[in-house]
Amino acid sequence: GVGGTSGGAIRTERGIYAWPGCRTFIPELVGTSVDCSDGTTTDDGYIDVSMDTWVACLLSNLQPELNPGQAAEPVPTIFGPIIGYQRGCPSLDMNDYILFKQYGISAFRMDRTMGPLIQSGVTTSLTTGEANLNRRRMADFIQDSLASRYNQLAKMVARQSIKDTLLSETDAFLSDLLAEGNPDAQRISGYSIDDKTLNTQSLASQGIWVIRVVVQMLQTLDTIVLASEVG
């Protein structure tokens, strides 16, 4: 889910706080009185809206392994109609955005060169390992994709040939994500498949067979440091 405020919800790696709100222009609202975020009203079509729908729209158009805090496409296209912060928004500096990230807030920022963007693509969870939004989205993508492949063979007799087919399907999907020999198509940095460690006779007697998949994501360049020396 995506939240439109900076607090008051249960923290979870599936939850997103998106704050502050932003301002956009809706020509159809020209001449219609609309409440503003600072308590005033306007009828010029320039309205204040929360960031939740904008973030949801961005995520629906972004590959799961990508950081929604990036400035590259599709961010400029999706956020193009945003023209500034909501009315009444306090002045924010980098210290504020550092705190936003620490408290699990995917904060909206107007960059002076790149325009509107999300400063940090984080979830509301403060648990170590659950902060990065792209990690949870990529895990969902991999799990859902493999589950749909496994469903085709569910309830089949547990012949070794069926198990081999499931392993082959798993390897084929992950191999496509790894894209060895095609760096521009690479989406993960590595993976392993294990059908031995977690399987026991007890599980087998219950009709359960476990495929353990470990995937290493590609890192994102969250911080780019320029170490320059000018003489």
Side-chain angles (χ1 to χ4, degrees), residues 71-90:
E73 287 290 354
V75 176
T77 296
I78 301 298
F79 286 177
I82 296 176
I83 59 177
Y85 298 102
Q86 66 180 28
R87 295 172 181 85
C89 180

Side-chain angles (χ1 to χ4, degrees), residues 158 163 198-210:
K163 294 180 179 180
L198 300 181
N199 285 296
T200 64
Q201 186 57 48
S202 175
L203 289 176
S205 66
Q206 300 175 63
I208 299 173
W209 187 58
V210 183

Side-chain angles (χ1 to χ4, degrees), residues 99-144:
L99 288 176
F100 287 152
K101 182 177 182 180
Q102 290 177 352
Y103 285 98
I105 301 172
S106 293
F108 161 58
R109 182 170 70 87
M110 286 295 295
D111 186 85
R112 62 182 180 181
T113 58
M114 301 305 299
L117 47 77
I118 298 298
Q119 177 63 25
S120 300
V122 294
T123 71
T124 60
S125 176
L126 302 183
T127 301
T128 301
E130 295 184 356
N132 290 345
L133 183 53
N134 63 333
R135 186 206 67 86
R136 180 65 267 167
R137 296 186 69 229
M138 189 60 168
D140 286 341
F141 166 67
I142 291 174
Q143 292 162 3
D144 290 346

